[in-house]
Amino acid sequence: MNAVVGFLAISKVPTLNIERMCRDWGIGKRKLYELLTVMNATGVIRIVYRENDNRTFSKGEKIFFGDPAFYSIGTGNIGTRREAFVAQSFEDAGRRVFACADERNGDFSVDGKIIEVGGRSKKPKKAEFVIRDDTDLPYSNSIPMWTLGFQY
């Protein structure tokens, strides 16, 4: 568990290499998937799956800390922190959040809408909405990140 948490604290791309972790720890895949499932269920981590990913053992597409505030402790990537906050905000508001099937289109799919997450100058790719940090006012298809707090 410490290795998963340590990896997430410094990772730029929040995904795990299951094969390498099993080899390094000397455990089987089943045990690692059980650990990830328990960590997700208890809120230590948040696993974002692709839509229609019904596999019994899946690491998901993106793995974040359960609480995005943990990224401010270390040298975590600001982009990862933004995505973790967006995933948390939508899930806490009762929405289903999925990772986009194709990262070239956007970061997440929420209620069938493709969403891209980034800073002030983030390009929309092929997303329907861009959630931007460091902006104050919404315009066109751009939504300031701070407005996600009003979903509660």
Side-chain angles (χ1 to χ4, degrees):
M1 188 164 89
N2 289 340
V4 173
V5 171
F7 174 80
L8 290 176
I10 61 170
S11 176
K12 181 176 180 180
V13 180
T15 187
L16 300 175
N17 183 328
I18 299 296
E19 298 287 334
R20 193 187 81 225
M21 292 182 94
C22 288
R23 188 177 56 250
D24 291 350
W25 296 352
I27 62 172
K29 285 184 183 179
R30 182 180 183 89
K31 192 63 150 181
L32 182 57
Y33 284 121
E34 288 173 358
L35 175 65
L36 292 174
T37 300
V38 169
M39 291 175 73
N40 189 44
T42 57
V44 174
I45 62 174
R46 179 180 314 275
I47 300 176
V48 179
Y49 298 93
R50 281 190 182 175
E51 199 164 7
N52 300 319
D53 183 356
N54 298 323
R55 295 175 292 172
T56 302
F57 296 116
S58 175
K59 65 177 181 168
E61 283 301 306
K62 298 182 180 198
I63 301 176
F64 302 108
F65 280 123
D67 183 353
F70 290 157
Y71 288 105
S72 62
I73 295 170
T75 58
N77 180 282
I78 187 69
T80 303
R81 183 177 182 180
R82 288 173 178 147
E83 287 190 23
F85 176 76
V86 169
Q88 176 196 29
S89 296
F90 280 117
E91 285 184 0
D92 287 353
R95 308 237 188 252
R96 295 286 315 242
V97 177
F98 298 103
C100 274
D102 187 350
E103 280 283 324
R104 294 174 292 186
N105 294 336
D107 293 315
F108 299 110
S109 173
V110 180
D111 294 338
K113 305 288 185 204
I114 304 297
I115 295 173
E116 179 68 17
V117 179
R120 178 184 304 267
S121 61
K122 184 67 172 184
K123 302 290 184 233
K125 295 183 182 177
K126 296 179 183 174
E128 296 170 71
F129 296 98
V130 180
I131 297 176
R132 288 191 169 105
D133 197 8
D134 304 324
T135 61
D136 295 328
L137 301 171
Y139 61 91
S140 185
N141 65 341
S142 177
I143 302 168
M145 191 173 291
W146 63 266
T147 62
L148 297 181
F150 291 111
Q151 294 187 93
Y152 294 98

